[in-house]
Amino acid sequence: MKRSALLVGAVVVLVGLAAGLASAWWAGGHETIAEAAAARLPDEVPAFFRRGGRHLAHFAVDPDRWKNKNAQLLRRAEEGNHFLDLEDLDGRQPPATNRFDYMKLVYTELKKDPNKVGLLPYSIVENYERLMVAFYDHRKAPASEAVPMAALVAGGNLAHYTGDAAMPLHTTRDYDGRVQPDGTVKQKGIHAKLDGFPEKNKITPEEVCRGLEARPIDDVWAHVNRFIAESHTHVGRCYEFDAAGAFDTPTNESRAFVLARCRAGAQLTLDLWYTAWVKSANLPGHW
């Protein structure tokens, strides 16, 4: 059902929310995916969030800003949040409890560095839960001027990691080339080619969002891990397109492939945003 435009005036003063889609811009693909997802939010989601596409897009790039080379502690803490090298799990499933149990598993049983294997599912679900809490606060204090800002930041940050999950090279140790028996790396540079493809080839938020509909998720943890596993199945196709030069000189097929991955990221983002709103209705009090 339609929600009233409660607090629109206050929120506009705070964050300058604007309806509609901006022209596409690119920072690792995340802005386009976030803005596309915002365009398809159903009316039951609060108006400040539905109209916040440009702000969600800005906040979707924050996790890359946190990797600034002079933010040494933050950069180190952030670096593993963007990927999951599924081959390095040796068939294990990340535990659904928390990232610390996962880090213990990787360190003690697999004898690997969790920051090198990756922590992507935790980044997604933790930020989903931050958004769910912010939506709960909005339900309890709809006149608050601070809560909409908190929700937009949490939602935008979440969109960064869902965008990462849709990029197949964020699910593999072969993220930027494949090591050959002689130690050389074949197809090095593929990552940057795929990351830059949407901007260079003018994939727009309007095109990404077309026909998407929000779907509630029952088990968020399981859904996110299935999504990452499905994204991993496209790694080989990425290398085939690159070997054929189809990222450098796009074909209809390579453009359709990248568009489909952007749409998958937007769908996951949209579904998690919507689920966070739905499930916030049944959260217990914080204290």
Side-chain angles (χ1 to χ4, degrees), residues 1 17 30 43 48 54 73 75 81 100 104 114 118 127 164 199 202 207 229 257 269 272 280:
M1 69 181 172
L17 299 179
H30 300 290
D43 289 344
F48 76 83
R54 297 180 186 183
L73 272 67
R75 180 185 178 91
N81 286 335
F100 302 105
K104 182 179 179 181
N127 281 282
D164 280 347
E199 179 185 12
K202 298 179 172 57
E207 169 175 39
F257 172 78
T269 306
L272 287 172
S280 70

Side-chain angles (χ1 to χ4, degrees), residues 263-275:
R263 284 173 57 79
Q267 184 71 67
L268 179 61
T269 306
L270 173 62
D271 292 345
L272 287 172
W273 284 347
Y274 178 57
T275 301

Side-chain angles (χ1 to χ4, degrees), residues 63 66 74-84 89 93-108 112-130 157 161 221:
W66 300 335
L74 178 60
R75 180 185 178 91
R76 174 61 177 162
E78 182 61 27
E79 64 185 13
N81 286 335
H82 299 250
F83 62 90
L84 181 66
L89 290 178
Q93 294 297 313
T97 49
N98 56 67
R99 69 167 56 212
F100 302 105
D101 288 343
Y102 167 80
M103 293 169 74
K104 182 179 179 181
L105 166 71
V106 174
Y107 268 130
T108 61
K112 297 173 183 175
D113 181 351
N115 245 11
K116 301 301 182 184
V117 177
L119 299 115
L120 180 57
Y122 300 95
S123 308
I124 294 173
V125 178
E126 289 163 3
N127 281 282
Y128 155 79
E129 291 179 348
R130 289 186 179 103
N157 291 170
Y161 301 112
W221 176 258

Side-chain angles (χ1 to χ4, degrees), residues 168 190 193-203 207 234 236-263:
I190 184 176
K193 294 177 188 179
L194 185 49
D195 255 354
F197 191 103
E199 179 185 12
K200 292 177 181 178
N201 297 283
K202 298 179 172 57
I203 290 177
E207 169 175 39
H234 300 285
R237 194 71 175 125
C238 293
Y239 275 89
E240 290 172 7
F241 279 125
D242 182 56
F247 290 150
D248 297 304
T249 305
T251 64
N252 290 338
E253 291 78 10
S254 65
R255 192 183 192 281
F257 172 78
V258 177
L259 174 59
R261 298 316 304 157
C262 291
R263 284 173 57 79

Side-chain angles (χ1 to χ4, degrees), residues 11-269:
V11 175
V12 167
V13 171
L14 286 167
V15 294
L17 299 179
L21 297 175
S23 299
W25 69 95
W26 196 254
H30 300 290
E31 293 130 326
T32 296
I33 289 172
E35 197 170 356
R40 299 299 299 171
L41 283 164
D43 289 344
E44 64 193 271
V45 176
F48 76 83
F49 201 83
R50 288 186 282 111
R51 297 176 180 176
R54 297 180 186 183
H55 305 283
L56 289 160
H58 174 85
F59 296 132
V61 188
D62 281 349
D64 277 345
R65 295 184 179 102
W66 300 335
K67 293 187 289 183
N68 185 289
K69 64 180 181 180
N70 285 343
Q72 295 181 17
L73 272 67
L74 178 60
R75 180 185 178 91
R76 174 61 177 162
E78 182 61 27
E79 64 185 13
N81 286 335
H82 299 250
F83 62 90
L84 181 66
D85 294 348
L86 287 172
E87 304 95 337
D88 285 339
L89 290 178
D90 298 342
R92 303 294 187 89
Q93 294 297 313
T97 49
N98 56 67
R99 69 167 56 212
F100 302 105
D101 288 343
Y102 167 80
M103 293 169 74
K104 182 179 179 181
L105 166 71
V106 174
Y107 268 130
T108 61
E109 296 189 28
L110 301 181
K111 310 301 182 185
K112 297 173 183 175
D113 181 351
N115 245 11
K116 301 301 182 184
V117 177
L119 299 115
L120 180 57
Y122 300 95
S123 308
I124 294 173
V125 178
E126 289 163 3
N127 281 282
Y128 155 79
E129 291 179 348
R130 289 186 179 103
L131 178 59
M132 181 172 59
V133 168
F135 278 153
Y136 169 89
D137 288 342
H138 176 69
R139 290 180 185 274
K140 296 299 180 181
S144 169
E145 296 181 346
V147 168
M149 291 188 287
L152 288 166
V153 171
N157 291 170
L158 168 59
H160 182 97
Y161 301 112
T162 50
D164 280 347
M167 207 283 214
L169 299 181
H170 280 256
T171 71
T172 176
R173 65 165 72 116
D174 298 329
Y175 66 93
D176 194 31
R178 286 173 165 162
V179 179
Q180 303 301 296
D182 63 359
T184 62
V185 179
K186 188 176 182 180
Q187 292 178 254
K188 187 169 180 60
I190 184 176
H191 195 283
K193 294 177 188 179
L194 185 49
D195 255 354
F197 191 103
E199 179 185 12
K200 292 177 181 178
N201 297 283
K202 298 179 172 57
I203 290 177
T204 66
E206 289 87 353
E207 169 175 39
V208 172
C209 77
R210 194 170 297 137
L212 300 184
E213 298 294 338
R215 305 173 299 199
I217 300 168
D218 181 34
D219 185 333
V220 168
W221 176 258
H223 184 87
V224 166
N225 280 276
R226 284 194 300 268
F227 183 94
I228 293 171
E230 195 280 333
S231 186
H232 184 73
T233 67
H234 300 285
V235 171
R237 194 71 175 125
C238 293
Y239 275 89
E240 290 172 7
F241 279 125
D242 182 56
F247 290 150
D248 297 304
T249 305
T251 64
N252 290 338
E253 291 78 10
S254 65
R255 192 183 192 281
F257 172 78
V258 177
L259 174 59
R261 298 316 304 157
C262 291
R263 284 173 57 79
Q267 184 71 67
L268 179 61
T269 306

